[in-house]
Amino acid sequence: MKKYICPCGYVYDPALGDVENGVNPSTAWEDVPEDWVCPVCGLGKDMFEEE
């Protein structure tokens, strides 16, 4: 699965998810809730780019 990177440098890895913020491991980017934000800087999904 592809990884996605925030301008702040945080990388969303679908294999790991973001368990602390309600996104389970193996959650594809398309399935991450639209209201999810970067756990480091708070930017929205729309600011991430495919790595």
Side-chain angles (χ1 to χ4, degrees):
M1 283 194 244
K2 297 174 185 168
K3 296 179 183 177
Y4 294 83
I5 188 165
C6 182
C8 78
Y10 171 81
V11 176
Y12 176 77
D13 182 345
L16 302 176
D18 180 20
V19 177
E20 291 181 9
N21 293 294
V23 181
N24 292 324
S26 299
T27 300
W29 183 246
E30 301 79 42
D31 298 328
V32 173
E34 289 302 315
D35 62 352
W36 177 85
V37 296
C38 175
V40 175
C41 72
L43 287 177
K45 269 183 74 175
D46 59 334
M47 299 302 293
F48 281 65
E49 294 188 13
E50 202 172 290
E51 186 177 50

